[in-house]
Coordinates of all heavy atoms in Angstrom, one line a residue:
M22 N 35.0 60.5 -56.2 CA 35.6 60.4 -55.0 C 34.9 61.5 -54.0 O 34.8 62.6 -54.6 CB 37.1 60.7 -54.9 CG 37.7 60.5 -53.6 SD 39.5 60.7 -53.7 CE 40.0 59.0 -54.0
D23 N 34.4 61.1 -52.9 CA 33.7 62.1 -52.0 C 34.7 62.5 -50.9 O 35.6 61.7 -50.5 CB 32.5 61.5 -51.4 CG 31.4 61.3 -52.5 OD1 31.3 62.1 -53.4 OD2 30.8 60.2 -52.3
F24 N 34.5 63.7 -50.4 CA 35.4 64.2 -49.3 C 34.4 64.8 -48.2 O 33.4 65.4 -48.5 CB 36.4 65.2 -49.7 CG 37.3 64.7 -50.7 CD1 37.2 64.8 -52.1 CD2 38.6 64.2 -50.2 CE1 38.1 64.3 -53.0 CE2 39.5 63.7 -51.0 CZ 39.4 63.8 -52.4
V25 N 34.8 64.5 -47.0 CA 34.1 65.2 -45.8 C 35.2 65.9 -45.1 O 36.3 65.6 -44.9 CB 33.6 64.1 -44.9 CG1 32.8 64.7 -43.8 CG2 32.5 63.3 -45.8
G26 N 34.7 67.1 -44.6 CA 35.7 67.9 -43.8 C 34.9 68.8 -42.7 O 33.6 68.8 -42.8
T27 N 35.8 69.4 -42.0 CA 35.2 70.3 -41.1 C 35.5 71.8 -41.4 O 36.6 72.1 -41.7 CB 35.7 70.0 -39.6 OG1 35.5 68.6 -39.3 CG2 35.2 70.9 -38.5
A28 N 34.5 72.5 -41.3 CA 34.7 74.1 -41.5 C 35.9 74.6 -40.8 O 36.0 74.2 -39.6 CB 33.4 74.8 -41.3
P29 N 36.7 75.4 -41.4 CA 37.9 75.9 -40.6 C 37.7 76.4 -39.3 O 38.4 76.2 -38.3 CB 38.4 77.0 -41.6 CG 38.0 76.6 -42.9 CD 36.6 75.9 -42.7
E30 N 36.6 77.2 -39.1 CA 36.3 77.8 -37.8 C 35.9 76.8 -36.7 O 35.8 77.2 -35.6 CB 35.2 79.0 -37.9 CG 33.9 78.5 -38.4 CD 33.7 78.5 -39.8 OE1 34.6 78.3 -40.7 OE2 32.4 78.5 -40.4
F31 N 35.7 75.6 -37.1 CA 35.3 74.6 -36.2 C 36.3 73.5 -35.9 O 36.1 72.6 -35.1 CB 33.9 73.9 -36.4 CG 32.8 74.9 -36.5 CD1 32.3 75.3 -37.7 CD2 32.4 75.3 -35.3 CE1 31.2 76.2 -37.7 CE2 31.2 76.3 -35.4 CZ 30.7 76.7 -36.6
R32 N 37.5 73.5 -36.7 CA 38.4 72.6 -36.5 C 39.1 72.6 -35.1 O 39.3 73.6 -34.5 CB 39.5 72.9 -37.7 CG 38.9 72.4 -39.0 CD 40.0 72.6 -40.0 NE 39.4 72.4 -41.3 CZ 39.8 72.9 -42.4 NH1 40.9 73.5 -42.5 NH2 39.1 72.7 -43.6
G33 N 39.5 71.5 -34.7 CA 40.1 71.2 -33.4 C 39.3 71.5 -32.3 O 39.7 71.5 -31.2
Q34 N 37.9 71.5 -32.4 CA 37.0 71.7 -31.3 C 36.1 70.5 -30.9 O 35.3 70.5 -30.1 CB 36.1 72.8 -31.5 CG 36.8 74.2 -31.8 CD 35.9 75.3 -32.1 OE1 34.7 75.4 -31.5 NE2 36.2 76.2 -32.9
G35 N 36.3 69.4 -31.7 CA 35.8 68.1 -31.4 C 34.5 67.9 -32.2 O 33.7 67.0 -32.0
A36 N 34.1 68.8 -33.1 CA 32.8 68.6 -33.9 C 32.8 67.2 -34.7 O 31.9 66.6 -34.6 CB 32.7 69.8 -34.8
A37 N 33.9 67.0 -35.4 CA 33.9 65.6 -36.1 C 33.8 64.5 -35.2 O 33.2 63.6 -35.6 CB 35.1 65.7 -36.9
M38 N 34.5 64.5 -34.0 CA 34.4 63.4 -33.2 C 32.9 63.2 -32.6 O 32.5 62.1 -32.6 CB 35.3 63.7 -31.9 CG 35.4 62.7 -30.8 SD 36.2 61.3 -31.2 CE 37.9 61.9 -30.9
V39 N 32.3 64.3 -32.2 CA 31.0 64.2 -31.8 C 29.9 63.6 -32.9 O 29.2 62.6 -32.7 CB 30.4 65.6 -31.3 CG1 28.9 65.6 -31.2 CG2 31.1 66.0 -30.2
I40 N 30.2 64.1 -34.1 CA 29.2 63.5 -35.3 C 29.7 62.0 -35.5 O 28.7 61.3 -35.7 CB 29.5 64.4 -36.5 CG1 29.0 65.8 -36.3 CG2 28.9 63.7 -37.7 CD1 29.4 66.8 -37.3
L41 N 30.9 61.7 -35.6 CA 31.2 60.3 -35.9 C 30.8 59.4 -34.8 O 30.2 58.3 -35.0 CB 32.7 60.2 -36.2 CG 33.1 60.7 -37.5 CD1 34.6 60.7 -37.7 CD2 32.5 59.9 -38.6
R42 N 31.0 59.8 -33.5 CA 30.5 59.0 -32.4 C 29.0 58.8 -32.4 O 28.6 57.7 -32.1 CB 30.9 59.7 -31.0 CG 32.4 59.2 -30.7 CD 32.6 59.6 -29.1 NE 33.9 59.3 -28.8 CZ 34.6 60.0 -28.0 NH1 34.1 61.1 -27.4 NH2 35.9 59.6 -27.6
Y43 N 28.3 59.9 -32.7 CA 26.9 59.6 -32.7 C 26.4 58.7 -33.8 O 25.6 57.9 -33.6 CB 26.2 61.1 -33.0 CG 24.6 61.0 -33.1 CD1 23.9 61.2 -32.0 CD2 24.0 61.0 -34.3 CE1 22.5 61.1 -32.1 CE2 22.6 60.9 -34.4 CZ 22.0 61.0 -33.2 OH 20.6 60.9 -33.4
I44 N 27.1 58.8 -34.9 CA 26.7 57.9 -36.0 C 27.1 56.5 -35.7 O 26.2 55.6 -35.9 CB 27.4 58.2 -37.4 CG1 26.9 59.6 -37.9 CG2 27.3 57.2 -38.5 CD1 27.7 60.3 -39.0
M45 N 28.2 56.3 -35.1 CA 28.6 54.9 -34.8 C 27.7 54.3 -33.6 O 27.5 53.1 -33.6 CB 30.1 55.0 -34.4 CG 31.0 55.3 -35.5 SD 32.8 55.8 -35.1 CE 33.3 54.3 -34.4
E46 N 27.4 55.1 -32.7 CA 26.5 54.6 -31.5 C 25.0 54.5 -31.9 O 24.4 53.6 -31.3 CB 26.7 55.6 -30.5 CG 28.1 55.5 -29.7 CD 28.3 56.6 -28.7 OE1 27.4 57.4 -28.4 OE2 29.5 56.7 -28.2
M47 N 24.5 55.3 -32.7 CA 23.1 55.4 -32.9 C 22.6 54.6 -34.2 O 21.4 54.6 -34.5 CB 22.6 56.7 -33.1 CG 22.9 57.6 -31.8 SD 22.4 57.0 -30.3 CE 20.6 57.2 -30.5
T48 N 23.5 54.0 -34.9 CA 23.1 53.1 -36.1 C 23.2 51.6 -35.7 O 24.0 51.3 -34.8 CB 23.9 53.4 -37.4 OG1 25.3 53.1 -37.1 CG2 23.9 54.9 -37.8
S49 N 22.6 50.8 -36.5 CA 22.6 49.3 -36.2 C 24.0 48.7 -36.9 O 24.1 47.6 -36.9 CB 21.4 48.7 -36.7 OG 21.2 48.9 -38.1
Y50 N 24.7 49.5 -37.7 CA 25.8 48.9 -38.3 C 26.8 48.5 -37.5 O 27.0 48.9 -36.3 CB 26.4 50.0 -39.3 CG 25.5 50.4 -40.4 CD1 25.1 51.9 -40.4 CD2 25.0 49.7 -41.3 CE1 24.3 52.3 -41.4 CE2 24.3 50.1 -42.3 CZ 23.9 51.4 -42.5 OH 23.0 51.9 -43.4
E51 N 27.4 47.2 -37.7 CA 28.5 46.8 -36.9 C 29.8 47.1 -37.3 O 30.8 47.0 -36.6 CB 28.3 45.2 -36.9 CG 27.1 44.7 -36.1 CD 27.1 45.1 -34.6 OE1 28.2 44.9 -34.0 OE2 26.1 45.5 -34.1
Q52 N 29.8 47.5 -38.7 CA 31.2 47.8 -39.3 C 31.1 49.1 -40.0 O 30.1 49.4 -40.6 CB 31.6 46.6 -40.2 CG 33.0 46.8 -40.8 CD 33.3 45.6 -41.7 OE1 32.8 45.6 -42.9 NE2 34.0 44.7 -41.3
F53 N 32.2 49.9 -39.8 CA 32.4 51.1 -40.4 C 33.7 51.2 -41.2 O 34.7 50.8 -40.7 CB 32.3 52.3 -39.4 CG 31.0 52.3 -38.6 CD1 30.9 51.5 -37.5 CD2 30.0 53.1 -39.1 CE1 29.7 51.6 -36.8 CE2 28.9 53.1 -38.4 CZ 28.6 52.3 -37.2
L54 N 33.7 51.6 -42.4 CA 34.8 51.7 -43.4 C 35.0 53.2 -43.7 O 34.1 54.0 -44.1 CB 34.7 50.9 -44.5 CG 34.5 49.4 -44.4 CD1 34.1 48.8 -45.6 CD2 35.5 48.8 -43.6
I55 N 36.3 53.6 -43.6 CA 36.8 54.8 -44.2 C 37.7 54.6 -45.2 O 38.8 53.9 -44.9 CB 37.5 55.8 -42.9 CG1 36.5 55.9 -41.7 CG2 38.0 57.0 -43.5 CD1 35.5 56.8 -41.9
E56 N 37.5 54.9 -46.4 CA 38.4 54.6 -47.6 C 39.1 55.8 -48.0 O 38.8 56.9 -48.0 CB 37.3 54.2 -48.7 CG 36.6 52.9 -48.5 CD 37.6 51.6 -48.2 OE1 38.7 51.6 -48.8 OE2 37.1 50.8 -47.6
E57 N 40.4 55.5 -48.3 CA 41.4 56.4 -48.9 C 41.7 57.6 -48.2 O 41.3 58.8 -48.7 CB 41.0 56.5 -50.4 CG 41.2 55.2 -51.2 CD 41.2 55.5 -52.6 OE1 41.1 56.6 -53.1 OE2 41.3 54.3 -53.3
V58 N 42.3 57.5 -47.0 CA 42.6 58.8 -46.3 C 44.0 58.9 -46.5 O 44.9 58.1 -46.6 CB 42.5 58.6 -44.8 CG1 42.9 59.8 -44.0 CG2 41.0 58.3 -44.4
A59 N 44.4 60.2 -47.0 CA 45.8 60.5 -47.4 C 46.7 60.3 -46.2 O 46.3 60.7 -45.1 CB 45.9 61.9 -47.8
D60 N 47.8 59.6 -46.4 CA 48.8 59.4 -45.2 C 49.2 60.7 -44.6 O 49.8 60.7 -43.4 CB 49.9 58.5 -45.7 CG 50.8 59.0 -46.7 OD1 50.5 60.1 -47.3 OD2 51.8 58.4 -47.0
T61 N 49.2 61.7 -45.3 CA 49.7 63.0 -44.8 C 48.5 63.8 -44.1 O 48.8 64.9 -43.5 CB 50.1 63.9 -46.0 OG1 49.1 63.9 -46.9 CG2 51.4 63.3 -46.6
N62 N 47.4 63.2 -44.0 CA 46.2 64.0 -43.4 C 46.3 63.5 -41.9 O 45.4 62.7 -41.4 CB 44.9 63.6 -44.0 CG 43.8 64.5 -43.5 OD1 43.9 65.0 -42.5 ND2 42.6 64.3 -44.2
I63 N 47.2 64.0 -41.2 CA 47.4 63.7 -39.8 C 46.3 63.9 -38.9 O 45.8 63.1 -38.1 CB 48.8 64.4 -39.2 CG1 50.0 64.0 -40.1 CG2 49.0 64.0 -37.8 CD1 50.2 62.6 -40.3
P64 N 45.6 65.1 -39.0 CA 44.4 65.3 -38.2 C 43.3 64.3 -38.3 O 42.7 63.7 -37.3 CB 43.9 66.7 -38.6 CG 45.1 67.4 -39.1 CD 45.8 66.3 -39.8
A65 N 43.0 63.9 -39.6 CA 42.0 62.8 -39.8 C 42.5 61.5 -39.2 O 41.6 60.8 -38.6 CB 41.7 62.7 -41.2
M66 N 43.7 61.2 -39.5 CA 44.2 59.9 -39.0 C 44.3 59.8 -37.4 O 43.8 58.7 -36.9 CB 45.7 59.6 -39.5 CG 45.8 59.5 -41.0 SD 44.8 58.1 -41.6 CE 45.5 56.7 -40.7
K67 N 44.5 60.9 -36.8 CA 44.4 60.9 -35.2 C 43.0 60.8 -34.8 O 42.8 60.1 -33.9 CB 45.1 62.2 -34.8 CG 46.5 62.2 -34.8 CD 47.0 63.5 -34.2 CE 48.6 63.5 -34.2 NZ 49.1 64.8 -33.6
L68 N 42.0 61.4 -35.5 CA 40.7 61.4 -35.2 C 40.1 59.9 -35.2 O 39.5 59.3 -34.4 CB 39.8 62.2 -36.0 CG 38.3 62.1 -36.0 CD1 37.7 62.4 -34.6 CD2 37.6 62.8 -37.1
Y69 N 40.4 59.2 -36.4 CA 40.0 57.9 -36.6 C 40.6 57.0 -35.6 O 39.9 56.1 -35.2 CB 40.3 57.5 -38.1 CG 39.4 58.3 -39.1 CD1 40.1 58.7 -40.2 CD2 38.2 58.7 -38.9 CE1 39.4 59.5 -41.2 CE2 37.5 59.4 -39.9 CZ 38.1 59.9 -40.9 OH 37.5 60.7 -41.9
Q70 N 41.9 57.1 -35.4 CA 42.6 56.3 -34.3 C 41.8 56.4 -33.0 O 41.7 55.4 -32.2 CB 44.1 56.5 -34.4 CG 44.6 56.0 -35.6 CD 46.2 56.4 -35.8 OE1 46.6 57.3 -35.1 NE2 46.9 55.8 -36.7
K71 N 41.6 57.7 -32.5 CA 40.9 57.9 -31.3 C 39.7 57.2 -31.2 O 39.3 56.8 -30.0 CB 40.7 59.4 -31.0 CG 42.1 60.2 -30.7 CD 41.6 61.6 -30.3 CE 42.9 62.4 -30.2 NZ 42.6 63.8 -30.0
L72 N 39.0 57.1 -32.4 CA 37.6 56.3 -32.4 C 37.7 54.8 -32.4 O 36.8 54.2 -32.3 CB 36.9 56.9 -33.5 CG 36.2 58.3 -33.4 CD1 35.8 58.9 -34.6 CD2 35.2 58.3 -32.3
G73 N 39.0 54.4 -32.6 CA 39.2 52.9 -32.6 C 39.4 52.3 -34.1 O 39.4 51.2 -34.2
F74 N 39.4 53.2 -35.1 CA 39.6 52.6 -36.4 C 41.0 52.1 -36.5 O 41.9 52.6 -35.9 CB 39.4 53.8 -37.5 CG 38.0 54.0 -37.7 CD1 37.3 54.9 -36.9 CD2 37.3 53.5 -38.8 CE1 35.8 55.2 -37.1 CE2 36.0 53.7 -39.1 CZ 35.2 54.7 -38.2
Q75 N 41.1 51.0 -37.3 CA 42.4 50.5 -37.6 C 42.7 50.3 -39.1 O 41.8 50.0 -39.9 CB 42.6 49.1 -36.9 CG 42.5 49.2 -35.4 CD 42.7 47.9 -34.8 OE1 42.5 46.8 -35.3 NE2 43.0 47.8 -33.5
E76 N 43.9 50.5 -39.6 CA 44.2 50.4 -41.0 C 44.1 48.9 -41.3 O 44.5 48.0 -40.7 CB 45.7 50.9 -41.2 CG 46.1 50.8 -42.6 CD 47.4 51.3 -42.9 OE1 48.0 52.0 -42.1 OE2 48.1 50.8 -43.9
Y77 N 43.4 48.7 -42.6 CA 43.3 47.4 -43.1 C 43.7 47.2 -44.5 O 44.0 46.2 -45.0 CB 41.8 46.9 -43.0 CG 40.9 47.4 -44.0 CD1 40.7 46.9 -45.1 CD2 40.2 48.7 -43.6 CE1 39.8 47.2 -46.1 CE2 39.3 49.2 -44.7 CZ 39.1 48.5 -45.8 OH 38.2 49.0 -46.7
K78 N 44.0 48.4 -45.1 CA 44.5 48.3 -46.5 C 45.3 49.6 -46.8 O 45.0 50.7 -46.2 CB 43.3 48.2 -47.4 CG 43.6 48.1 -48.9 CD 42.4 47.9 -49.7 CE 41.4 49.0 -49.6 NZ 40.3 48.9 -50.7
R79 N 46.3 49.5 -47.6 CA 47.1 50.7 -48.0 C 47.3 50.7 -49.5 O 47.8 49.6 -49.9 CB 48.4 50.6 -47.2 CG 49.4 51.8 -47.4 CD 50.6 51.6 -46.7 NE 50.4 51.8 -45.2 CZ 51.2 52.3 -44.4 NH1 52.3 52.9 -44.8 NH2 50.7 52.5 -43.0
K80 N 47.1 51.8 -50.1 CA 47.2 51.9 -51.5 C 48.4 52.8 -51.9 O 48.3 54.0 -51.6 CB 45.9 52.4 -52.2 CG 45.9 52.5 -53.7 CD 44.5 53.0 -54.2 CE 44.6 53.5 -55.5 NZ 43.2 54.0 -55.9
P81 N 49.4 52.4 -52.4 CA 50.6 53.3 -52.8 C 50.1 54.2 -53.9 O 49.4 53.9 -54.8 CB 51.7 52.3 -53.1 CG 51.0 51.0 -53.5 CD 49.7 51.0 -52.8
V82 N 50.7 55.3 -53.9 CA 50.6 56.4 -54.9 C 51.8 56.2 -55.8 O 53.0 56.2 -55.3 CB 50.5 57.8 -54.4 CG1 50.3 58.8 -55.5 CG2 49.2 57.8 -53.4
P83 N 51.5 56.1 -57.1 CA 52.8 56.1 -58.1 C 53.7 57.2 -57.8 O 53.3 58.3 -57.5 CB 52.1 56.1 -59.5 CG 50.8 55.6 -59.3 CD 50.4 56.0 -57.9
L84 N 55.0 56.9 -57.8 CA 56.1 57.8 -57.5 C 55.9 59.2 -58.1 O 55.9 60.2 -57.3 CB 57.4 57.3 -57.7 CG 58.7 58.1 -57.3 CD1 58.6 58.3 -55.8 CD2 60.0 57.4 -57.7
K85 N 55.8 59.3 -59.4 CA 55.6 60.6 -60.1 C 54.4 61.4 -59.4 O 54.5 62.6 -59.2 CB 55.4 60.5 -61.6 CG 56.7 60.3 -62.3 CD 56.4 60.4 -63.8 CE 57.7 60.5 -64.5 NZ 57.6 60.7 -65.9
R86 N 53.3 60.7 -59.3 CA 52.0 61.5 -58.6 C 52.3 61.8 -57.3 O 52.0 62.9 -56.8 CB 50.9 60.5 -58.8 CG 49.7 61.2 -58.4 CD 48.3 60.5 -58.8 NE 47.3 61.3 -58.3 CZ 46.3 60.7 -57.6 NH1 46.3 59.5 -57.3 NH2 45.3 61.5 -57.1
A87 N 53.0 60.9 -56.5 CA 53.3 61.2 -55.1 C 54.2 62.4 -54.9 O 53.9 63.1 -54.1 CB 54.0 60.0 -54.5
E88 N 55.1 62.6 -55.7 CA 56.0 63.7 -55.8 C 55.3 65.0 -56.0 O 55.4 66.0 -55.5 CB 57.3 63.6 -56.7 CG 58.1 62.5 -56.3 CD 59.2 62.3 -57.4 OE1 59.1 62.7 -58.6 OE2 60.3 61.5 -57.0
K89 N 54.2 64.9 -56.9 CA 53.5 66.0 -57.4 C 52.4 66.4 -56.2 O 52.3 67.6 -56.0 CB 52.7 65.8 -58.7 CG 52.0 66.8 -59.3 CD 51.4 66.5 -60.6 CE 50.6 67.8 -61.2 NZ 50.1 67.4 -62.5
I90 N 51.8 65.4 -55.7 CA 50.7 65.8 -54.8 C 51.1 65.7 -53.2 O 50.4 66.1 -52.3 CB 49.4 64.9 -54.9 CG1 49.8 63.4 -54.7 CG2 48.9 65.1 -56.4 CD1 48.4 62.5 -54.7
G91 N 52.3 65.1 -53.0 CA 52.8 65.0 -51.6 C 52.1 64.1 -50.8 O 52.1 64.1 -49.6
I92 N 51.6 63.0 -51.4 CA 51.0 61.8 -50.7 C 51.6 60.6 -51.1 O 51.7 60.3 -52.3 CB 49.5 61.8 -51.0 CG1 48.7 63.1 -50.5 CG2 48.8 60.5 -50.3 CD1 47.4 63.2 -51.0
N93 N 52.0 59.8 -50.3 CA 52.7 58.5 -50.5 C 51.7 57.3 -50.6 O 51.9 56.3 -51.3 CB 53.8 58.2 -49.6 CG 54.8 59.3 -49.6 OD1 55.4 59.6 -50.5 ND2 55.1 59.9 -48.4
H94 N 50.7 57.3 -49.7 CA 49.8 56.2 -49.6 C 48.4 56.8 -49.3 O 48.3 57.9 -48.6 CB 50.1 55.2 -48.5 CG 51.4 54.6 -48.7 ND1 52.7 55.0 -48.3 CD2 51.7 53.4 -49.4 CE1 53.5 54.2 -48.6 NE2 53.0 53.1 -49.3
F95 N 47.4 56.0 -49.8 CA 46.0 56.2 -49.2 C 45.7 55.1 -48.3 O 45.8 53.9 -48.6 CB 45.0 56.3 -50.4 CG 45.1 57.5 -51.2 CD1 45.7 57.6 -52.4 CD2 44.5 58.7 -50.7 CE1 45.8 58.7 -53.1 CE2 44.7 59.9 -51.3 CZ 45.2 60.0 -52.6
K96 N 45.3 55.3 -47.1 CA 45.0 54.3 -46.1 C 43.5 54.1 -46.0 O 42.7 55.0 -46.0 CB 45.5 54.8 -44.8 CG 47.0 54.9 -44.8 CD 47.5 55.2 -43.4 CE 49.0 55.4 -43.3 NZ 49.4 55.6 -42.1
S97 N 43.1 52.9 -45.9 CA 41.7 52.5 -45.7 C 41.6 51.9 -44.2 O 42.5 51.2 -43.7 CB 41.3 51.4 -46.5 OG 41.1 52.0 -47.9
L98 N 40.5 52.4 -43.4 CA 40.5 52.1 -42.0 C 39.1 51.5 -41.7 O 38.0 51.6 -42.4 CB 40.5 53.4 -41.3 CG 41.7 54.3 -41.6 CD1 41.6 55.7 -41.0 CD2 43.0 53.7 -41.0
K99 N 39.2 50.6 -40.8 CA 38.0 49.9 -40.4 C 37.7 49.9 -38.9 O 38.6 49.9 -38.2 CB 38.1 48.5 -40.8 CG 36.9 47.4 -40.4 CD 37.3 46.0 -40.7 CE 38.0 45.6 -41.9 NZ 38.1 44.2 -42.1
Y100 N 36.5 49.9 -38.4 CA 36.1 49.9 -37.1 C 34.9 48.8 -37.0 O 34.0 48.9 -37.8 CB 35.4 51.2 -36.7 CG 34.9 51.2 -35.1 CD1 35.7 51.3 -34.0 CD2 33.5 51.0 -35.0 CE1 35.2 51.3 -32.9 CE2 33.0 50.8 -33.7 CZ 33.8 51.1 -32.7 OH 33.3 51.0 -31.3
E101 N 35.0 47.9 -36.0 CA 34.0 46.9 -35.8 C 33.5 46.9 -34.5 O 34.3 46.7 -33.5 CB 34.6 45.5 -36.2 CG 34.9 45.4 -37.7 CD 35.4 43.9 -38.0 OE1 34.6 43.0 -37.7 OE2 36.4 43.9 -38.7
K102 N 32.2 47.1 -34.2 CA 31.7 47.3 -33.0 C 31.9 45.9 -32.2 O 32.1 46.0 -30.9 CB 30.1 47.5 -33.0 CG 29.7 48.9 -33.3 CD 28.3 49.1 -33.3 CE 27.8 50.3 -33.6 NZ 26.3 50.6 -33.8
S103 N 31.9 44.8 -32.8 CA 31.9 43.6 -32.0 C 33.2 43.4 -31.5 O 33.5 42.5 -30.5 CB 31.5 42.3 -33.0 OG 32.6 42.3 -34.1
L104 N 34.3 44.1 -31.9 CA 35.7 43.9 -31.4 C 35.9 44.9 -30.1 O 36.9 44.9 -29.6 CB 36.7 44.2 -32.5 CG 36.7 43.3 -33.7 CD1 37.7 43.7 -34.7 CD2 36.9 41.9 -33.3
K105 N 34.9 45.7 -29.9 CA 35.2 46.6 -28.8 C 34.4 46.3 -27.6 O 33.5 45.6 -27.5 CB 34.7 48.1 -29.3 CG 35.3 48.6 -30.5 CD 36.8 48.7 -30.4 CE 37.5 48.8 -31.6 NZ 38.9 48.6 -31.6

C-alpha cells in the first residue's frame, strides 16, 4: 500500500490542491482513481470532494480491526473529465 501526504509545515495552504489540479489538467487521462482513503481522513476527503471526486466503492473494516485502528471504512473515489 502506498501513501501520499503533505509535509506538516505546508498543510492547509493548498499545496496538495495545486499539485492534483496540475496533474488532472496536464495529463491526457480521462479518469482518475483514488483508492482506499480512510473514512476518518477528513482533510483528504474534503480535498478530493472539492476537486470533483465521487465515492464509487466502500470497503468495510472488520469490527475488531476498526476498533483498534479507528477506521470504519476505506473509500475509493473517482473523477472523470468527461463528466465535468
Side-chain angles (χ1 to χ4, degrees):
M22 184 178 274
D23 293 323
F24 294 94
V25 176
T27 304
E30 63 270 22
F31 297 105
R32 289 183 188 155
Q34 298 178 38
M38 177 79 76
V39 170
I40 292 167
L41 287 171
R42 272 196 182 139
Y43 180 83
I44 291 167
M45 293 164 66
E46 291 172 3
M47 301 306 289
T48 63
S49 61
Y50 297 115
E51 291 295 317
Q52 185 179 77
F53 298 87
L54 303 175
I55 305 289
E56 295 293 336
E57 296 195 359
V58 179
D60 61 354
T61 55
N62 190 344
I63 304 303
M66 292 302 299
K67 284 183 179 180
L68 169 66
Y69 298 136
Q70 288 169 349
K71 283 181 186 177
L72 288 167
F74 282 83
Q75 296 181 343
E76 182 180 334
Y77 75 93
K78 182 172 66 173
R79 185 179 288 221
K80 179 180 168 185
V82 176
L84 186 58
K85 275 189 169 184
R86 184 165 180 236
E88 290 172 348
K89 185 176 182 179
I90 65 174
I92 299 170
N93 298 307
H94 296 91
F95 286 104
K96 297 180 179 184
S97 295
L98 309 164
K99 181 190 316 187
Y100 173 88
E101 295 186 51
K102 285 184 181 178
S103 60
L104 297 178
K105 303 301 168 199

